[in-house]
């Protein structure tokens, strides 16, 4: 199996969990994962941002993370 086949297989795998990051402005960001442990790992990094002033790369404006949730799909 070459690398491209492996990447295609991972992308085609069903996603069972969704991490939703809510910003103070009302915007949301979602990240879908295959397993609960993957979702928890991603959410841990996102939770570290709660309450901090961050710079949104696309606009250059300050944003603030309000909450992070994990939901089953």
């Amino acid at each position: 199996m070459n690398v491209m086949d492996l990447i295609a297989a991972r992308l085609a795998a069903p996603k069972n969990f969704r991490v939703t990051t809510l910003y103070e402005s009302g915007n949301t960001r979602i990240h879908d994962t295959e397993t609960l442990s993957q979702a928890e790992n991603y959410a841990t990094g996102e939770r570290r941002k709660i309450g901090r002033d961050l710079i949104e790369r696309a606009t250059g404006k300050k944003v603030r993370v309000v909450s992070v949730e994990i939901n089953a799909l």
Side-chain angles (χ1 to χ4, degrees), residues 1 4-15 34:
M1 179 180 274
M4 296 309 289
D5 291 338
L6 181 61
I7 292 171
R10 299 304 332 142
L11 290 173
K15 307 300 185 209
E34 298 171 39

Side-chain angles (χ1 to χ4, degrees), residues 2-63:
N2 68 26
V3 173
M4 296 309 289
D5 291 338
L6 181 61
I7 292 171
R10 299 304 332 142
L11 290 173
K15 307 300 185 209
N16 299 316
F17 295 92
R18 174 171 284 168
V19 179
T20 305
T21 305
L22 177 65
Y23 295 93
E24 190 174 58
S25 64
N27 292 342
T28 59
R29 174 182 280 174
I30 59 170
H31 180 79
D32 295 336
T33 63
E34 298 171 39
T35 65
L36 181 58
S37 61
Q38 289 172 338
E40 288 172 348
N41 187 41
Y42 185 82
T44 297
E46 290 294 292
R47 285 184 183 121
R48 290 179 182 148
K49 301 174 188 175
I50 292 176
R52 293 186 175 185
D53 287 331
L54 306 171
I55 304 290
E56 186 177 15
R57 290 181 182 177
T59 63
K61 296 180 181 178
K62 287 186 180 181
V63 295

